[in-house]
Amino acid sequence: MEFSELIKTATVENVLLSRPGLPAVRGTLCITSHHLLLSSCPRGDLELWLLIRNVDAVEKRFCGSSGTITLRCKDLQVLQLEIPGMEECLNIASSIEALSSVDSVMMMYPFFYRPASLRLQQGWHRFTLESFFQQLSSQTSQWRPPPPPRDFSACPSYPPAVIVPAAVGDDTVAKAARFRQGGRFPVLSYFHPKNGTALLRSSQPLTGPNRRRCREDEKLLGTILDEGERGFIIDTRSAQAAKQARMSGGGTEPKSCYPQWRRLHRALDRGRPLQESFIRLVEACSDPSLSMDRWLARLDSSRWLGHVKAALSTACLAAQCLDREDCKVLVHGAEGTDTTLLVTALAQLILDPSCRSLEGFQALLQREWIEAGHPFHLRCARSAASHGRGKQEAPLFLLFLDCVWQLSRQFPFSLEFGEQLLLTLFDNAYASSFGTFLCSSEKERSLCRVKESTHSLWDWLNQPEERHKYLNPLYSHNPLVIWPSVEPQSIQLWQGLFLRWIRPSQHLDEAWEEIQRLVEGNNSSIKEKRLSQSLPEPTAGTESGR
Amino acid sequence: MEFSELIKTATVENVLLSRPGLPAVRGTLCITSHHLLLSSCPRGDLELWLLIRNVDAVEKRFCGSSGTITLRCKDLQVLQLEIPGMEECLNIASSIEALSSVDSVMMMYPFFYRPASLRLQQGWHRFTLESFFQQLSSQTSQWRPPPPPRDFSACPSYPPAVIVPAAVGDDTVAKAARFRQGGRFPVLSYFHPKNGTALLRSSQPLTGPNRRRCREDEKLLGTILDEGERGFIIDTRSAQAAKQARMSGGGTEPKSCYPQWRRLHRALDRGRPLQESFIRLVEACSDPSLSMDRWLARLDSSRWLGHVKAALSTACLAAQCLDREDCKVLVHGAEGTDTTLLVTALAQLILDPSCRSLEGFQALLQREWIEAGHPFHLRCARSAASHGRGKQEAPLFLLFLDCVWQLSRQFPFSLEFGEQLLLTLFDNAYASSFGTFLCSSEKERSLCRVKESTHSLWDWLNQPEERHKYLNPLYSHNPLVIWPSVEPQSIQLWQGLFLRWIRPSQHLDEAWEEIQRLVEGNNSSIKEKRLSQSLPEPTAGTESGR
C-alpha cells in the first residue's frame, strides 16, 4: 500500500478551522501521509499540526456547495473544518478516514518519525528487568534471576524473561503456564522490602467445568508461602462471574487445592462496560446545555467515578494485605492483562516511594503495563467517539491515569510528576510519534522491530528541556505508604483531562507555572547563597526538586 | 439571668472525647459560661476549647451507667463525649443546650472577650461610607454625599447613611422608602468607573393587588437614567413568584410606570429551600457508607451545586449588563436583604479588582452584607443540624462564600486571600468571639452597643501575624473583569468546607503552606539581592504578595 493512494485531495485553500474556546482561523489545509496541517492566510503561520492517527471519528455535513467536517480526536479534542467545494470536502473526509484507519503497525508514524535530538535504538534499554532484579536480589534470595532471553513459547504475552520463585524449576513453570489462560503463570510483580511480602500476578486458572487441577501450578503458588503462612488471591471478578468462567474453561483456585490461599473477590468492570462508561462521560462533559441536575445525573449514569473508586479501593486492599497483614498477594481476573495490571500498578504506587519519582513511574509503566502485555493496540485503537465499532477497546490505561491523578490530588507532595505527564501519556497511548505504546506485547514488538525502527517516548521525555515540563514543583520524597481516601465524596472528576478542550484551564496552568518559577527561583537563590557563603551542596538524594 | 444558673454540672472527670480522624482523648471536662474545655489526663494539655455558641445540636445516648453526648457544631464539626455517670451526662447536656440557646445578644461571648492585643472601640471605623464616597466622588458627581448620620426611621435595616442620586431630595427618598418593603428604597451599591454605569439595590415595590404607584419611587429610578438610556431590573424571583407577591402587598415595577427599565427574572432560592439544601448536603457528606451512585444521587438531590451555579450566573448577568451593555442595573427580590446582596456582592467581586484584595474584600463584606442589613442574627442562628427548628435560618452567606471559593479556584491568581479566610468567615458568621456578625442591622448593633462593647473581627484579622494566614501566596493584581465559567461541569463541591472535619486535608494544607514559604523565600531573596546590589525597593503598589 502507498499512502498516496489513500490521499484523494492533498491541498484545499480557504478552509475555516473552528475549535471551542479559540478564534476561528482561515487557511490552507494539507493532508500528508501522517499529518493534517492548516497554515493560516495570509500570514502563513502553521495553526494546526494534527497526527491523523489521533482522529477517532469523521463526521460530514453539507450546506449548499460547502461542507463541514467534524473531527473527533482520540485525545478528546473536537475540530471543525469548513471546506469550500463538495467534492473537496468528500475527498478530504475519505482521505482522513482511510489514513486514520491504517491498522498495520509498521505503517504508523513512529516508523517514520526521526527527531533530530534523538538517535535510533537508544533509550529502549532504560528500564530493564535486570536492573529491577538487581535491586530485588539485594533484599531477598527467594526469587530467581531472570533467565537469558528466550522465545515467547510459554506465554506469548509475557516478555522474554520474568521473575519466578527460586524454588521452582523450568518444568514446573512450563506446566503451570499451560494451566493458565494465555499461558500467564504467576510471576513476581512487586517485592515489599519492609516485610518481605510480595505481589504476584497471573491470569485465571483453566479449571473448566470438570474442576481440573494442576499440581505444578499448586506447587508454584505453594512454594511462595512458608508453612502456616497465608496468602490472599484477589480476583478482580465477582464470585459469580468467576464461577461462570468455568463454563468456558476458566475458573478460580479452589480452596481445597490451594489451602494456604484465601480468595477475595472485587468486581472491576472492563471491556465494553468500561468503554461505554468512558463514552457516556465524554458526551456528558461536552454537552454545553445541561442544567446542574442533568449534569449530575449524567455524571452518575456514566458510572466513571464509580470505576475510579473501585480501582483505587481494590489497589488499597492489595496494598493493605501486603503492608498491614504481612501477606503475599496474587492478583488476577480472567486474562490478567487489564484489571489485573490496573490493581498491581496502583498498589505499587501506593506502597513504594520509588515508583512515585518521574523515573520510577516510567519504569513502573514499562514493566507493569507495556512489558506485562496490556494489549494497547487493541484497547486504545479507538477512543470516546468510537460508538461500538470496536469490540476490544477499553480505557483501562486511562482509568489507571485517572486513579494516579486522584492520588496526586490527595498527596500534592508525594509524586514527582504532575498532571501534564498524565495527559501526555494518555495522548501517546492513543496516537503517538513514538513506538512505546505500539503493539500489544513484547512478542509483537519484536516481530515489528519496534525497538530497532522507532523512538522510545521515555527517551524523548527524559531530555532535560522536556523533563522539566512534567515535574511537580512541590515534590518532596515521601518514604511512607500513601493511603488515599476512597470515599465517594473524595473522588473528583478529572477536569484537566475531561474538560481540557472545553473549558479554558489557562489560569490553572499559569498557577502551576508560577509555582514552578517560584521553586526554581528559590532553589537558585539557595545555590547563590551557598556559593557566597561556601555552604556544601546537598547530595543528589536530598535535592529532589524542592 | 446568671450563667451559673444554667450550668448544672461544671466539671466531670474521666470524659472520653472522640473526633473523626483524630485519636480519642480522655480528660477532664469543664463547662464555663461560654466555653466547653477538655484537658487531657494525665498531662493536663488543653485538648478542646469550644465556644458553646458553636453547638448546633446536642444528642444524648445512654448505655449502662454512662452516657454519650454528640455535639453537632455550627461549623460542621461533630464531637462525641463519653461521660461516666448518667446524671452528670444529663446535666452536661442540658447545660450545653441552655448555654447555646441564649438568644440575648448582649449575653454573648463577644461582650466578654478581651484579647490582650486589641483595644476596645478601635477597628470599627476601618471601612466607612465616607471613604467609599470619597473614591466615588473623584469619578462622578451623579451621587449625593452621605448625609450626617441620622436615625433609622426611613429604613430600619439600612445604616444611618446611604448613597442616593444627587438629583433627588430627601422628601422624594422618604416617600420612595414608604413604597418599598421594609423601607429599602433604591441605593447605590457599586459604581463602575470603566463606563460610569451603576449597580443599585432595593427591596420590592409595594404595588399590591391594586397596582399602587409611587411617583417619587418612579422619579428616583427615572433620574438615574438619562433620556433614551435603558436600565435593567434584575428580580431574583421568578416572574410567577413576583406576580404572586402582589397578593401580599408586594410586587414588581410595571413596565408602564418605569418605561426605561427592562425587567429580567432570575429565580434564586432562599429561606427554607436553601436551608434544607444545606442540611441535605451536609448529611450526604457525613455519610461514610455511600456508594458512588448513592453519593452522586444525594449530591444532586441536595441541589446545593445548582444554587451555586444560579447565584454565579445571576451575578454574571448583572456584571454583563453593567460592563458589556453599558447599562445601569437595579437588583431586588422581595425583602432585598438576602439574594439581592448575594448578587450585588458577587457582581462587584467579578467586576472590580479592588474588591479582590484582602482589605477590599473585607470592605465589601462590611458594606454589602453587614451594613446592608443581611439579618445574620436570624439567618445564622442555627446551622445544618437545626432540622427545621428555626424558621428564619438560611445559609445565604455560606452560599456567597462558596461562590467566592469557585471564583478563587477558577482564578487562582486574582484574589489576594485564600480558602482559610472564607472558612474563618463562615465560622464567625455562625459563632464568634467578635461582634462583627452580631445582630441583623446597624440599628440593632447601635441599640446593643456592639461597637462600644465588642471587638471587630476585621481588627483581629488585620494584625500582621493573623493577616499572614489568609493571604493567597500566588496573588497578583488583575485589573480585568474575571468572568467565571458557570457551566455545571465547572462547579465543584467545596471539599475544604463540607469535608473539613471528615477527610484529613492535611496534605493540601501543607501544600498551601509550602507555596507560602516558597513565595516568602523568593521575596526575601529578592530583597537580599536588592540590598547587596543596591537595587531600588519597588513601590508598595507593585509588590502585592508576589
Side-chain angles (χ1 to χ4, degrees):
Chain A
M1 182 201 71
E2 291 286 326
F3 287 116
S4 56
E5 291 167 19
L6 303 178
I7 303 173
K8 295 189 184 159
T9 294
T11 312
V12 191
E13 308 276 344
N14 209 17
V15 171
L16 188 72
L17 164 70
S18 320
R19 287 167 290 187
L22 290 171
V25 181
R26 194 171 289 279
T28 304
L29 182 73
C30 289
I31 304 279
T32 72
S33 307
H34 296 286
H35 288 97
L36 183 153
L37 278 59
L38 189 119
S39 40
S40 68
C41 294
R43 294 180 50 212
D45 297 345
L46 193 62
E47 297 283 350
L48 181 71
W49 174 277
L50 183 80
L51 200 57
I52 293 181
R53 180 85 193 151
N54 190 2
V55 174
D56 201 23
V58 182
E59 290 160 16
K60 301 177 283 276
R61 218 179 54 232
F62 294 97
C63 175
S65 69
S66 84
T68 302
I69 298 179
T70 302
L71 300 179
R72 296 187 184 278
C73 297
K74 292 175 184 168
D75 64 5
L76 310 184
Q77 194 176 181
V78 180
L79 307 171
Q80 280 209 340
L81 298 168
E82 212 182 293
I83 297 173
M86 199 180 292
E87 202 187 326
E88 278 78 7
C89 182
L90 282 169
N91 283 346
I92 293 287
S94 72
S95 307
I96 297 174
E97 271 170 347
L99 289 167
S100 66
S101 312
V102 169
D103 198 47
S104 159
V105 171
M106 293 173 79
M107 297 297 281
M108 288 179 188
Y109 186 57
F111 285 86
F112 301 86
Y113 179 53
R114 297 290 174 262
S117 60
L118 300 181
R119 282 175 51 200
L120 267 186
Q121 304 194 32
Q122 275 188 342
W124 280 106
H125 306 289
R126 202 176 268 275
F127 311 110
T128 62
L129 193 66
E130 284 70 31
S131 61
F132 178 70
F133 185 78
Q134 207 161 29
Q135 209 198 337
L136 179 68
S137 62
S138 70
Q139 297 161 334
T140 172
S141 58
Q142 229 193 337
W143 303 90
R144 257 213 263 172
R150 280 179 282 189
D151 64 0
F152 299 88
S153 57
C155 170
S157 64
Y158 274 165
V162 289
I163 293 175
V164 293
V168 295
D170 284 355
D171 252 28
T172 310
V173 172
K175 283 184 181 149
R178 286 202 287 276
F179 184 62
R180 293 276 170 178
Q181 182 170 0
R184 294 176 71 91
F185 54 89
V187 297
L188 181 74
S189 166
Y190 169 64
F191 177 81
H192 195 40
K194 179 185 151 192
N195 53 13
T197 57
L199 179 64
L200 294 99
R201 53 178 164 74
S202 70
S203 62
Q204 65 179 342
L206 299 173
T207 50
N210 301 325
R211 297 169 185 264
R212 214 158 63 84
R213 295 178 60 169
C214 170
R215 304 283 171 189
E216 290 79 8
D217 190 77
E218 292 166 19
K219 187 182 162 198
L220 201 165
L221 286 180
T223 57
I224 290 166
L225 301 181
D226 291 334
E227 215 176 298
E229 200 184 341
R230 279 160 62 92
F232 285 97
I233 295 174
I234 297 180
D235 193 319
T236 61
R237 302 165 294 179
S238 67
Q240 176 73 7
K243 210 167 167 184
Q244 277 174 349
R246 285 218 305 267
M247 294 305 115
S248 46
T252 53
E253 294 82 357
K255 189 86 201 130
S256 55
C257 312
Y258 301 82
Q260 285 175 270
W261 292 90
R262 197 181 144 201
R263 223 167 55 222
L264 301 170
H265 290 276
R266 290 293 181 275
L268 297 182
D269 273 328
R270 66 204 82 192
R272 206 61 221 155
L274 195 64
Q275 179 73 1
E276 268 159 20
S277 169
F278 177 38
I279 293 171
R280 278 198 300 269
L281 178 60
V282 170
E283 282 174 355
C285 286
S286 37
D287 190 333
S289 61
L290 293 177
S291 68
M292 184 57 80
D293 281 17
R294 278 300 294 151
W295 156 246
L296 287 175
R298 286 183 64 179
L299 177 63
D300 183 11
S301 82
S302 82
R303 303 197 52 230
W304 183 261
L305 296 181
H307 296 311
V308 173
K309 173 179 156 55
L312 275 174
S313 304
T314 309
C316 281
L317 174 69
Q320 267 164 351
C321 292
L322 286 157
D323 189 71
R324 301 230 169 132
E325 307 286 324
D326 298 332
C327 285
K328 300 200 173 76
V329 175
L330 168 66
V331 180
H332 72 69
E335 294 168 305
T337 55
D338 294 288
T339 51
T340 302
L341 305 180
L342 179 64
V343 173
T344 59
L346 278 176
Q348 290 176 60
L349 211 59
I350 291 168
L351 290 171
D352 187 2
S354 73
C355 293
R356 299 180 217 134
S357 70
L358 182 57
E359 187 89 0
F361 186 61
Q362 293 172 40
L364 179 73
L365 293 177
Q366 183 65 28
R367 200 176 68 245
E368 287 294 288
W369 282 95
I370 297 167
E371 293 176 5
H374 177 65
F376 280 100
H377 183 73
L378 302 172
R379 298 292 181 264
C380 302
R382 302 239 159 224
S383 172
S386 67
H387 287 292
R389 274 186 289 184
K391 287 214 169 88
Q392 291 276 358
E393 284 83 358
L396 267 307
F397 187 60
L398 170 60
L399 182 56
F400 169 73
L401 296 175
D402 195 335
C403 292
V404 178
W405 179 81
Q406 307 283 342
L407 285 173
S408 76
R409 212 186 57 79
Q410 292 191 26
F411 299 92
F413 285 130
S414 298
L415 307 188
E416 197 188 8
F417 47 92
E419 183 175 57
Q420 194 50 52
L421 179 71
L422 304 177
L423 295 174
T424 300
L425 291 168
F426 169 70
D427 294 349
N428 278 275
Y430 281 84
S432 181
S433 304
F434 302 95
T436 299
F437 291 106
L438 288 182
C439 302
S440 289
S441 65
E442 287 297 280
K443 183 179 179 180
E444 286 182 22
R445 277 173 210 117
S446 164
L447 290 171
C448 295
R449 300 182 55 79
V450 167
K451 292 182 188 176
E452 291 79 9
S453 318
T454 76
H455 289 285
S456 156
L457 176 64
W458 311 139
D459 211 18
W460 176 263
L461 290 186
N462 289 299
Q463 299 177 105
E465 64 280 17
E466 282 295 312
R467 190 171 189 278
H468 167 85
K469 297 178 196 164
Y470 304 107
L471 290 174
N472 169 9
L474 296 176
Y475 174 66
S476 138
H477 178 80
N478 173 359
L480 303 176
V481 177
I482 52 172
W483 296 110
S485 160
V486 296
E487 275 81 16
Q489 293 95 333
S490 303
I491 308 292
Q492 281 198 349
L493 176 70
W494 185 7
Q495 294 198 345
L497 184 113
F498 291 104
L499 304 181
R500 177 162 46 146
W501 307 103
I502 301 168
R503 304 266 166 281
S505 69
Q506 181 204 346
H507 298 289
L508 302 180
D509 295 344
E510 279 173 11
W512 192 253
E513 281 162 23
E514 173 68 10
I515 297 173
Q516 270 186 335
R517 220 179 47 74
L518 282 168
V519 173
E520 280 157 22
N522 209 43
N523 285 349
S524 69
S525 76
I526 288 169
K527 278 191 190 140
E528 270 178 37
K529 244 190 232 166
R530 256 191 217 108
L531 276 174
S532 66
Q533 301 171 16
S534 303
L535 293 179
E537 280 279 321
T539 59
T542 62
E543 200 195 41
S544 45
R546 196 171 165 175
Chain B
M1 184 200 71
E2 292 285 326
F3 288 116
S4 57
E5 290 165 22
L6 303 178
I7 303 173
K8 293 188 184 159
T9 295
T11 312
V12 191
E13 308 275 343
N14 208 16
V15 170
L16 188 74
L17 164 70
S18 321
R19 287 167 290 187
L22 289 173
V25 181
R26 195 171 289 281
T28 304
L29 181 74
C30 289
I31 304 281
T32 73
S33 307
H34 297 286
H35 288 95
L36 183 154
L37 278 62
L38 189 119
S39 40
S40 68
C41 294
R43 293 179 51 213
D45 296 346
L46 194 61
E47 296 282 350
L48 180 71
W49 175 277
L50 183 80
L51 201 56
I52 292 180
R53 180 85 193 152
N54 189 4
V55 174
D56 202 23
V58 182
E59 290 160 17
K60 299 178 285 274
R61 217 179 53 233
F62 294 98
C63 175
S65 68
S66 84
T68 303
I69 298 178
T70 302
L71 300 179
R72 296 190 183 280
C73 296
K74 291 174 184 168
D75 62 7
L76 310 183
Q77 193 176 183
V78 180
L79 307 170
Q80 280 209 339
L81 298 168
E82 211 182 295
I83 297 173
M86 197 180 291
E87 200 188 325
E88 278 78 4
C89 181
L90 282 169
N91 283 346
I92 293 288
S94 72
S95 307
I96 297 173
E97 271 170 346
L99 289 167
S100 67
S101 313
V102 168
D103 198 48
S104 159
V105 171
M106 294 174 78
M107 296 298 279
M108 287 178 187
Y109 187 55
F111 285 86
F112 301 87
Y113 179 53
R114 296 291 173 262
S117 60
L118 300 181
R119 282 175 50 199
L120 268 186
Q121 304 195 31
Q122 275 189 340
W124 280 106
H125 307 288
R126 200 176 269 276
F127 312 110
T128 62
L129 193 67
E130 284 69 32
S131 60
F132 177 71
F133 185 78
Q134 207 162 28
Q135 210 198 334
L136 179 69
S137 62
S138 69
Q139 297 160 334
T140 172
S141 58
Q142 227 194 338
W143 303 89
R144 256 214 263 174
R150 280 179 280 190
D151 64 1
F152 300 88
S153 58
C155 169
S157 64
Y158 274 165
V162 290
I163 294 175
V164 294
V168 296
D170 285 355
D171 252 28
T172 310
V173 172
K175 282 183 182 150
R178 285 201 288 275
F179 184 63
R180 294 276 169 176
Q181 182 170 358
R184 295 176 70 91
F185 54 91
V187 297
L188 180 74
S189 166
Y190 168 65
F191 177 81
H192 195 39
K194 178 184 152 190
N195 54 11
T197 56
L199 179 64
L200 294 100
R201 54 178 163 75
S202 71
S203 62
Q204 65 180 340
L206 300 173
T207 50
N210 302 323
R211 298 171 186 266
R212 213 157 65 84
R213 294 179 60 169
C214 170
R215 305 281 172 190
E216 291 79 9
D217 189 77
E218 293 165 18
K219 187 182 162 197
L220 200 164
L221 286 180
T223 56
I224 289 167
L225 301 181
D226 291 336
E227 215 176 299
E229 199 184 341
R230 279 161 63 94
F232 286 98
I233 295 174
I234 297 180
D235 193 320
T236 61
R237 302 164 295 179
S238 68
Q240 176 72 5
K243 210 167 167 184
Q244 276 175 349
R246 285 218 304 269
M247 293 304 114
S248 46
T252 54
E253 295 82 357
K255 187 86 201 134
S256 55
C257 312
Y258 301 83
Q260 286 176 269
W261 291 90
R262 196 180 145 205
R263 224 168 54 222
L264 302 171
H265 290 275
R266 291 294 181 274
L268 297 181
D269 273 328
R270 66 205 80 191
R272 205 63 219 154
L274 195 63
Q275 179 73 3
E276 268 159 19
S277 169
F278 176 38
I279 293 171
R280 278 198 302 268
L281 177 60
V282 170
E283 282 173 354
C285 286
S286 37
D287 191 334
S289 60
L290 292 178
S291 68
M292 184 58 79
D293 282 16
R294 278 299 295 150
W295 157 246
L296 287 174
R298 287 182 62 178
L299 177 63
D300 182 11
S301 82
S302 82
R303 304 199 49 230
W304 183 261
L305 296 180
H307 297 310
V308 173
K309 174 178 156 55
L312 276 173
S313 305
T314 309
C316 281
L317 173 70
Q320 267 164 354
C321 293
L322 286 156
D323 188 71
R324 302 229 168 132
E325 307 286 325
D326 298 333
C327 284
K328 299 200 174 77
V329 175
L330 169 65
V331 181
H332 71 69
E335 294 169 304
T337 54
D338 294 290
T339 51
T340 302
L341 306 180
L342 179 65
V343 173
T344 59
L346 278 176
Q348 290 176 60
L349 211 59
I350 291 168
L351 290 170
D352 187 2
S354 73
C355 293
R356 300 180 217 133
S357 70
L358 182 58
E359 189 88 359
F361 186 61
Q362 293 172 40
L364 178 73
L365 292 177
Q366 184 66 29
R367 201 177 66 247
E368 287 294 287
W369 282 95
I370 297 168
E371 291 176 5
H374 176 66
F376 281 100
H377 183 73
L378 301 172
R379 298 292 181 261
C380 302
R382 301 238 162 223
S383 172
S386 66
H387 288 291
R389 276 185 289 183
K391 288 214 169 86
Q392 291 275 359
E393 284 82 358
L396 269 306
F397 187 61
L398 169 60
L399 182 57
F400 169 74
L401 296 176
D402 196 335
C403 292
V404 178
W405 180 82
Q406 307 283 342
L407 286 172
S408 75
R409 212 186 57 78
Q410 293 190 25
F411 300 92
F413 285 129
S414 300
L415 307 188
E416 197 188 7
F417 47 91
E419 182 176 57
Q420 193 50 51
L421 180 70
L422 304 177
L423 295 175
T424 301
L425 291 169
F426 168 69
D427 294 348
N428 277 275
Y430 282 84
S432 182
S433 305
F434 302 95
T436 300
F437 291 106
L438 289 181
C439 304
S440 289
S441 65
E442 288 296 280
K443 182 178 179 183
E444 285 182 22
R445 279 175 208 115
S446 163
L447 290 171
C448 295
R449 302 181 54 79
V450 166
K451 292 182 188 177
E452 291 79 10
S453 318
T454 76
H455 289 284
S456 155
L457 176 64
W458 311 139
D459 210 18
W460 176 262
L461 290 186
N462 289 301
Q463 299 178 104
E465 65 279 18
E466 282 295 311
R467 190 172 189 277
H468 167 85
K469 298 178 194 164
Y470 304 107
L471 290 173
N472 169 9
L474 297 175
Y475 174 67
S476 139
H477 179 79
N478 173 359
L480 304 175
V481 177
I482 52 172
W483 296 111
S485 159
V486 296
E487 274 80 17
Q489 291 96 333
S490 303
I491 308 291
Q492 282 198 350
L493 176 70
W494 185 7
Q495 294 198 344
L497 184 111
F498 290 105
L499 304 181
R500 175 162 48 147
W501 307 103
I502 301 168
R503 305 267 166 279
S505 68
Q506 182 202 344
H507 299 289
L508 302 179
D509 294 345
E510 280 173 11
W512 191 252
E513 281 162 23
E514 175 66 12
I515 298 173
Q516 270 186 334
R517 220 178 49 74
L518 282 168
V519 173
E520 280 158 22
N522 210 42
N523 285 350
S524 70
S525 76
I526 290 169
K527 278 192 190 140
E528 271 177 38
K529 246 191 229 167
R530 256 194 215 106
L531 276 175
S532 66
Q533 300 172 16
S534 303
L535 293 178
E537 280 279 320
T539 59
T542 60
E543 199 194 41
S544 47
R546 195 171 167 179

